Amino acid sequence: MKRFILIIPLLFFVLTTGCAYYNTFYNAKKFYREAEKERKKREKTQVVELSAEEEARLKKSGRSGSDTKNRASQTEMQNYQQAIERASRVLEFYPESKWVDDALMLLGKCFYYRRDFKKAMRTFDEILQLYPNSEVIPETRLLKAKAYIGLEEYDIAETLLGEIVADPSIPKKVREEAKYELGGLYFKKENYELAAENFRSSARSAKNKLIKAMSQYRLGECLIRLERYDEAPAVLRKAVKEAPNEDFLSQAIFKLGQAYSLKGDYDRAIKTFKNALSKEYDVKRIPRIKLELANNLKLRGDLGDAIKWYENIIEEHKRTDASARSYYALGQIEEFISEDYKKAKENYDLVRSEFSSSLIAPIAKERSNNIQTLLDLENDIARLEGRAVDVDSLERGDDGELVVVRDDGPIDLSPDGMWINYSGRDRPPPLSLRELTDADLARQAMLQERVAEMMASGDSTKIDSSLFMSAPLDSAALAKQAEEEARQKELELSAKYLALGEIMLFAFDKPDSAVKYYQVVVDKHVDSTQVARALYSLAYVYQDFMADTALAEMVLDELVDLFPDTDHAEGARKLLGIDIMTNQVDSAKVLFDRAEAAFYEDNDLQRAFQLWDQVVQKYPDSHYAPKAAYAKAWHYENTLFQQDSAIAAYEKMVELYPDSPVISKIKPKLAAVEKVRKEEEARQKAKADSLAKLQAAAADSMASDSTATDSTLQKVPADTLQQTPIAAGEASPTAAANAGPQAPPDSLAAKKSASELPDAQQSAATDSTKMAAPSADKSPPAAKENTKKRPKIKEPSQIK
């Protein structure tokens, strides 16, 4: 009886303990099943494929596409967490239970679907180590491989999945899912051949309807990536047919339309996208479907309908990637079909403001910049050729060539309006003004300002008529200046044509136009470097764009013959299989280097001068000749301080090497010297003119005084004249009269005459009175030395 009494509590304890264990595990499974319902419901409407923009945004935020496509709801996550807590209690309080491996598997799945891959990995490893013979091992191996994919450890995942596929002991269902996952892994690694092979296998034998349909869809994607466009539509039609739900069906139809478009079957593509648009219930995908429909209408040639759809997208789906791409498409139509570059640029500029995150935004910005560069070059060329127009007035004719639009508004014929008609409006100046130099134009502008100031005072009598007197012209200097200006203009024009050819070739893919502009540079033959580059570019176009090897080689031969020392000639030699110059001894360089060493190492400037002279005399066509001449001139100026010799050497260089890059460093120096010389000549001439005018005025005054004195003497009686004493040292009136043009000692006559002159001449006269002839015991003052500093020129060693 006592024994029976003891057994009853023990049995009660066992039953109570087992019931508690079972309830805990049961509740864990219950929460897990609830979470699984949410997950499967979510997978039925999951996003099969993200757009490129969505993938880029996720990558920028540090998330993957799978995070968004398979993101769990809050309810699902909470149920998984409840299941984790209860399964953990089973493992903690009942470690010897026969259901421990089931509890561990449930725990690992919960971690995996919550995307806590590291915890899931530790749980799966524990199952594999502690329960190697458990029936959950095949599924555990598959989930472990998928967890490595979640951690982006693709190489390890590939190995594990490959082992599962090759293991015949693993159930077929698990192996087929492993093939599908392996295909997705190869797709991530961009190995589309292996991905297609695995997707094809899983599509053929998978029992799971979703995996079967997804395998067909992914196989179609692989064929598109492999550019096997003829095969892709048939595979995607199967995906549409086997779609497990409406959401998948919509995405499969969209992908099928893209496959038809890539195949070139635009009619079927348009029909497919219209069908997708009619069945689509997700408003987020509607803009993309409309965009694909518009793109295929454009490709088929229905521009009117395409433009309507683009405008519809812009109007109804603002600030979306589709609206940004619609602006870009309209820009392409204006650029490549209408050739209205201004409107094309306007559309390209709207892309970024519409949706800055769009992948098409940087491409649109580049197109806009290219068009702006093209318009600027064409406008610069028009200006240099005497037909300058504003950028906004550029239009194109039927042949695509630039048409100059003139401003035909009325011309103001008043004195104040004549100049502004040509300097402030979009019309070229008349021929008479075109022939004026820059200095003449500046003088005319200053004259207009002076006249305007005087007219504003209200008294037109104050206008100095001398302003309108023609300034003395130096015909030789003007001719030389005009020649230099013309040469600089031609040099700039040639550079603009060269740049225009470059942008036509590389930015607008118009090799024929590029050839035309390169040929202009060759025909002008203004600068050897520019011509060499144009010839090299012509050869490149003939070879790579027109496949005319013979013509390309002929142009390269001409380049080597005409410009053997240029870098482009070196490139031509490589293409022709000729030994390049860098492999040959450059004697000019050897001499030049010896000269540099003579000065910088041996401090022997005389020896350096001799070597530089040898470079100039023996190798006049070498690019080291102007460098040597410049080095010598520089040392004349900065080492020996022989300014006259330096100036003479610089002027000789300008004459011998007008195209050398060194000349750009010399011209400012010579211009400064010439300016100082002209200023000094002008000052000397002004002093001489003022002195001459003063002497003439003094002579006129003396002559007038002499005449008055003679008439007075005639009226005075003779005895009065005899009684008038003459002070000692005082000249007699007769002597004063006979003195001629000499000024009296107190210069009163000169002051009187000066007071009767105009203001400007009074000033000159006053200056002249201060320049009295030096006394006999004083030597004339030395000419004031010109202290104006000369601009420094870089040392020749700094010239590359």
Side-chain angles (χ1 to χ4, degrees):
M1 185 65 180
K2 292 182 179 179
R3 183 179 295 178
F4 179 76
I5 294 173
L6 292 173
I7 291 174
I8 290 175
L10 180 62
L11 181 63
F12 178 77
F13 175 77
V14 171
L15 291 174
T16 305
T17 304
C19 183
Y21 162 74
Y22 179 77
N23 285 337
T24 304
F25 187 62
Y26 173 81
N27 288 332
K29 292 174 66 176
K30 179 183 176 181
F31 281 112
Y32 176 76
R33 284 194 298 268
E34 291 296 324
E36 283 290 276
K37 287 181 182 179
E38 292 291 328
R39 180 177 67 84
K40 291 179 180 180
K41 180 181 177 181
R42 170 171 53 86
E43 287 181 348
K44 288 183 178 181
T45 58
Q46 72 177 3
V47 179
V48 179
E49 182 182 9
L50 295 174
S51 67
E53 284 70 23
E54 291 170 329
E55 290 281 5
R57 287 199 300 274
L58 288 172
K59 186 175 182 181
K60 189 175 181 180
S61 63
R63 294 182 293 160
S64 65
S66 57
D67 290 339
T68 297
K69 290 189 290 184
N70 301 314
R71 178 167 292 182
S73 66
Q74 185 176 1
T75 302
E76 180 183 341
M77 296 292 281
Q78 288 175 350
N79 285 329
Y80 279 130
Q81 183 60 37
Q82 292 291 336
I84 289 172
E85 292 175 1
R86 282 155 180 79
S88 298
R89 290 176 191 171
V90 172
L91 297 174
E92 181 180 358
F93 296 110
Y94 311 102
E96 302 300 328
S97 170
K98 65 177 181 179
W99 288 327
V100 170
D101 56 343
D102 293 319
L104 280 171
M105 186 63 178
L106 186 145
L107 191 64
K109 285 182 177 180
C110 290
F111 284 137
Y112 174 79
Y113 291 123
R114 281 178 61 86
R115 307 191 68 77
D116 194 343
F117 299 119
K118 290 185 177 180
K119 289 184 179 180
M121 194 90 66
R122 289 196 296 268
T123 305
F124 296 142
D125 285 337
E126 188 175 352
I127 296 172
L128 293 172
Q129 291 173 8
L130 298 177
Y131 308 97
N133 298 321
S134 174
E135 61 182 9
V136 299
I137 291 298
E139 187 179 8
T140 302
R141 291 173 64 183
L142 177 62
L143 288 172
K144 180 180 178 181
K146 293 170 69 173
Y148 273 114
I149 293 176
L151 292 172
E152 298 183 358
E153 297 284 350
Y154 298 133
D155 292 336
I156 300 175
E158 180 182 351
T159 301
L160 295 176
L161 290 171
E163 292 174 354
I164 295 171
V165 171
D167 190 349
S169 65
I170 293 179
K172 184 177 179 181
K173 177 182 177 181
V174 176
R175 282 188 284 132
E176 292 303 327
E177 187 175 351
K179 285 183 180 180
Y180 175 77
E181 294 294 338
L182 192 57
L185 181 60
Y186 285 133
F187 192 90
K188 286 179 179 291
K189 297 174 72 173
E190 299 182 1
N191 191 337
Y192 301 119
E193 287 286 357
L194 287 176
E197 181 181 335
N198 283 275
F199 284 137
R200 185 176 282 109
S201 176
S202 61
R204 186 169 49 247
S205 57
K207 300 301 181 182
N208 185 298
K209 192 174 182 180
L210 179 60
I211 291 180
K212 192 177 187 68
M214 285 292 295
S215 297
Q216 296 285 6
Y217 185 95
R218 293 298 186 189
L219 176 58
E221 279 191 300
C222 290
L223 294 174
I224 289 174
R225 299 295 179 94
L226 293 170
E227 299 183 0
R228 290 154 64 175
Y229 302 130
D230 292 337
E231 302 176 39
V235 173
L236 289 167
R237 282 197 298 267
K238 292 180 180 179
V240 171
K241 185 178 180 180
E242 297 173 358
N245 52 64
E246 290 297 325
D247 193 81
F248 181 91
L249 176 64
S250 173
Q251 296 177 77
I253 292 175
F254 182 85
K255 181 61 68 174
L256 177 60
Q258 288 183 319
Y260 280 133
S261 179
L262 292 169
K263 184 182 177 181
D265 193 345
Y266 304 124
D267 292 334
R268 284 191 177 183
I270 292 169
K271 183 178 179 180
T272 302
F273 285 121
K274 285 183 177 179
N275 181 34
L277 190 61
S278 65
K279 295 181 178 180
E280 185 57 62
Y281 64 89
D282 188 348
V283 294
K284 293 182 179 179
R285 286 198 288 265
I286 289 177
R288 289 185 65 196
I289 297 174
K290 287 183 177 181
L291 180 65
E292 288 293 337
L293 178 58
N295 288 340
N296 280 275
L297 286 168
K298 182 182 73 171
L299 291 170
R300 193 173 70 175
D302 298 337
L303 289 181
D305 292 340
I307 292 173
K308 289 180 181 177
W309 278 108
Y310 289 134
E311 292 174 345
N312 173 270
I313 295 169
I314 293 170
E315 181 65 27
E316 295 187 2
H317 308 283
K318 299 180 184 297
R319 301 293 185 267
T320 62
D321 177 65
S323 61
R325 289 180 178 272
S326 296
Y327 275 123
Y328 182 79
L330 290 174
Q332 286 187 308
I333 292 174
E334 296 294 350
E335 178 182 352
F336 297 106
I337 299 177
S338 304
E339 293 194 348
D340 189 334
Y341 291 121
K342 179 182 176 183
K343 290 184 178 179
K345 185 179 185 304
E346 290 174 356
N347 282 288
Y348 289 142
D349 289 339
L350 288 169
V351 172
R352 188 172 183 84
S353 61
E354 186 70 12
F355 194 72
S356 60
S357 299
S358 175
L359 296 182
I360 207 68
I363 302 174
K365 186 176 186 298
E366 182 181 5
R367 295 306 309 160
S368 176
N369 292 341
N370 288 335
I371 291 176
Q372 186 62 58
T373 301
L374 173 65
L375 297 178
D376 290 343
L377 285 171
E378 290 182 333
N379 193 42
D380 289 342
I381 290 173
R383 172 181 56 80
L384 291 169
E385 291 180 346
R387 48 186 181 90
V389 293
D390 187 74
V391 174
D392 291 339
S393 64
L394 290 177
E395 294 184 0
R396 295 183 176 277
D398 296 335
D399 57 356
E401 292 297 321
L402 183 68
V403 176
V404 180
V405 180
R406 300 292 190 190
D407 176 11
D408 294 326
I411 298 177
D412 184 1
L413 298 178
S414 66
D416 293 336
M418 285 299 291
W419 180 254
I420 199 65
N421 284 325
Y422 296 103
S423 64
R425 301 180 63 152
D426 296 334
R427 64 171 76 246
L431 294 177
S432 60
L433 291 182
R434 289 184 202 174
E435 295 171 355
L436 295 177
T437 63
D438 291 340
D440 295 330
L441 294 174
R443 182 175 178 276
Q444 291 289 342
M446 183 179 67
L447 175 62
Q448 288 290 335
E449 292 178 1
R450 295 278 299 277
V451 172
E453 292 174 359
M454 294 175 181
M455 292 294 291
S457 65
D459 187 358
S460 59
T461 60
K462 292 183 179 180
I463 299 178
D464 188 356
S465 60
S466 63
L467 290 174
F468 301 97
M469 297 176 62
S470 299
L473 300 178
D474 186 346
S475 301
L478 288 176
K480 185 176 181 180
Q481 180 182 0
E483 181 181 354
E484 179 61 23
E485 289 178 356
R487 185 183 178 282
Q488 290 298 326
K489 182 179 290 186
E490 285 298 316
L491 186 64
E492 183 181 359
L493 186 60
S494 178
K496 297 294 183 183
Y497 270 114
L498 185 60
L500 189 57
E502 298 286 327
I503 196 171
M504 278 295 183
L505 180 63
F506 297 109
F508 291 88
D509 194 24
K510 292 186 176 181
D512 292 335
S513 298
V515 167
K516 180 178 70 173
Y517 295 128
Y518 289 144
Q519 193 60 52
V520 171
V521 177
V522 174
D523 294 341
K524 284 181 174 295
H525 207 101
V526 178
D527 179 76
S528 58
T529 303
Q530 292 180 0
V531 177
R533 182 176 173 185
L535 288 172
Y536 191 86
S537 299
L538 281 171
Y540 171 73
V541 175
Y542 292 144
Q543 178 68 48
D544 289 20
F545 287 83
M546 301 181 179
D548 193 337
T549 304
L551 184 57
E553 290 180 353
M554 183 178 71
V555 174
L556 292 173
D557 285 331
E558 183 178 1
L559 170 58
V560 173
D561 291 340
L562 294 177
F563 311 102
D565 296 328
T566 61
D567 293 336
H568 291 92
E570 286 286 79
R573 291 187 186 94
K574 290 181 181 179
L575 294 175
L576 293 172
I578 304 173
D579 289 338
I580 60 177
M581 292 290 292
T582 53
N583 294 336
Q584 305 173 11
V585 177
D586 190 340
S587 301
K589 182 180 184 303
V590 172
L591 280 177
F592 186 84
D593 291 342
R594 287 172 58 192
E596 295 279 287
F599 176 73
Y600 290 106
E601 297 177 11
D602 302 335
N603 199 25
D604 189 348
L605 183 59
Q606 184 177 1
R607 176 59 177 162
F609 271 24
Q610 294 174 354
L611 292 171
W612 281 325
D613 287 339
Q614 290 181 32
V615 173
V616 173
Q617 295 167 5
K618 293 182 178 181
Y619 309 102
D621 297 329
S622 171
H623 65 279
Y624 282 97
K627 288 185 178 182
Y630 178 74
K632 185 175 179 180
W634 189 91
H635 283 290
Y636 270 134
E637 179 188 8
N638 297 280
T639 305
L640 301 177
F641 303 106
Q642 297 179 8
Q643 305 301 326
D644 292 339
S645 298
I647 292 172
Y650 288 143
E651 291 175 343
K652 188 68 174 178
M653 283 190 64
V654 173
E655 178 184 348
L656 294 177
Y657 314 109
D659 297 332
S660 174
V662 181
I663 300 303
S664 62
K665 306 177 184 297
I666 295 174
K667 285 186 176 180
K669 173 68 177 177
L670 294 179
V673 172
E674 182 66 16
K675 181 179 179 181
V676 171
R677 185 185 65 80
K678 288 185 176 180
E679 289 176 352
E680 183 62 26
E681 289 179 354
R683 281 195 296 271
Q684 294 299 332
K685 185 175 182 302
K687 290 180 180 179
D689 292 343
S690 299
L691 183 59
K693 289 180 181 179
L694 181 60
Q695 291 176 346
D700 292 342
S701 177
M702 290 297 297
S704 175
D705 290 346
S706 300
T707 303
T709 302
D710 291 342
S711 60
T712 302
L713 290 175
Q714 291 176 2
K715 295 178 182 180
V716 176
D719 56 351
T720 304
L721 294 174
Q722 293 175 359
Q723 294 175 2
T724 304
I726 299 176
E730 183 180 350
S732 66
T734 304
N738 294 333
Q742 293 182 2
D746 57 0
S747 301
L748 291 176
K751 293 181 181 178
K752 179 181 178 181
S753 300
S755 65
E756 297 174 356
L757 297 175
D759 293 342
Q761 296 181 11
Q762 284 184 37
S763 177
T766 304
D767 291 341
S768 299
T769 58
K770 296 177 182 180
M771 298 177 59
S775 59
D777 59 340
K778 292 183 180 180
S779 60
K784 187 175 182 180
E785 182 180 357
N786 180 23
T787 60
K788 191 167 185 178
K789 293 185 178 179
R790 305 177 185 274
K792 289 294 183 181
I793 299 180
K794 294 182 179 180
E795 292 191 20
S797 60
Q798 299 174 344
I799 301 175
K800 302 295 182 182

